[in-house]
Amino acid sequence: INTMDIPKGIILEIGGGSTKVVYYNRRNLLNCEILPFGAITLTELFCNENVKPEDQMAQIEEFFTEQLKNIEWLKDVDPEAQLIGVGGSFRNLCRMTKIMKKYPLKNIHNYVVNDADFTHAYDILKGLDLDKKKKIKGLSSGRADILPSALAVISAFKKYMNLSDIVVSGSGLRTG
């Protein structure tokens, strides 16, 4: 919050086993929620060799949207609030989109991933097998298996909250 010039924001952090949602205004915490699943647990939960990867991502989006409906305060979020992405999944998304656009600077903090770039990256990733995902520039090979699940969460969140751009934070919740 202190390193970004975003007065009203909703922070989304997708970890391996949990997802955090934090809503603030003028550096004051208004609400927060910790959901007991993250990129790893969702990948494991919805991994099924008999289901196409695109269908698995659709299942994750549907599941996550249902969980969001249980968070009452989300209905009261100011429409001017901006989405701030925190954590490794957002940093990988940022690196991928910057490479796709041939963006010259390496800085991640405060980089904005617009809706079109997010959709393009998500559409590419959700249909690929693991070996092809590992070859994508900007994507850490250690996250290639779980990043599509994280992007499904982001996609569901953006749709549910009617948000477009993502401001990426280079600092995680642990580092501040």
Side-chain angles (χ1 to χ4, degrees):
I1 291 173
N2 293 326
T3 62
M4 303 181 107
D5 191 23
I6 300 174
K8 296 176 188 172
I10 188 152
I11 300 169
L12 182 65
E13 193 270 339
I14 306 163
S18 66
T19 300
K20 292 104 181 152
V21 183
V22 178
Y23 177 44
Y24 72 90
N25 185 3
R26 309 264 183 245
R27 297 189 174 140
N28 293 306
L29 174 68
L30 299 177
N31 282 298
C32 65
E33 188 76 31
I34 300 174
L35 302 168
F37 44 81
I40 294 172
T41 52
L42 289 171
T43 300
E44 291 170 351
L45 185 64
F46 290 95
C47 180
N48 183 341
E49 292 179 12
N50 300 322
V51 178
K52 294 190 311 188
E54 298 94 338
D55 294 337
Q56 291 174 15
M57 296 308 104
Q59 291 172 354
I60 292 172
E61 285 191 48
E62 184 179 330
F63 171 80
F64 192 74
T65 300
E66 289 303 312
Q67 304 310 305
L68 292 174
K69 290 176 182 177
N70 296 323
I71 305 172
E72 286 295 320
W73 59 264
L74 285 177
K75 296 175 181 96
D76 299 326
V77 171
D78 189 318
E80 292 181 12
Q82 289 182 271
L83 175 59
I84 301 169
V86 175
S89 296
F90 286 99
R91 289 191 300 272
N92 271 272
L93 170 65
C94 178
R95 281 193 291 271
M96 285 175 46
T97 58
K98 286 170 67 173
I99 288 170
M100 287 183 215
K101 293 174 82 165
K102 296 181 173 51
Y103 188 81
L105 304 176
K106 292 189 177 196
N107 189 27
I108 289 176
H109 192 66
N110 275 320
Y111 181 81
V112 177
V113 177
N114 68 39
D115 196 44
D117 291 342
F118 170 78
T119 301
H120 181 66
Y122 183 40
D123 287 344
I124 288 172
L125 271 181
K126 68 181 171 184
L128 297 178
D129 64 35
L130 184 58
D131 289 334
K132 289 181 182 171
K133 287 178 202 161
K134 287 182 178 181
K135 294 178 183 173
I136 293 178
K137 291 183 180 178
L139 175 55
S140 167
S141 61
R143 288 194 182 261
D145 58 338
I146 63 170
L147 187 62
S149 296
L151 295 184
V153 166
I154 297 166
S155 178
F157 191 75
K158 284 169 45 79
K159 289 174 190 171
Y160 185 79
M161 297 300 298
N162 196 28
L163 299 165
S164 57
D165 297 345
I166 304 166
V167 181
V168 180
S169 173
S171 302
L173 291 181
R174 277 184 249 147
T175 56

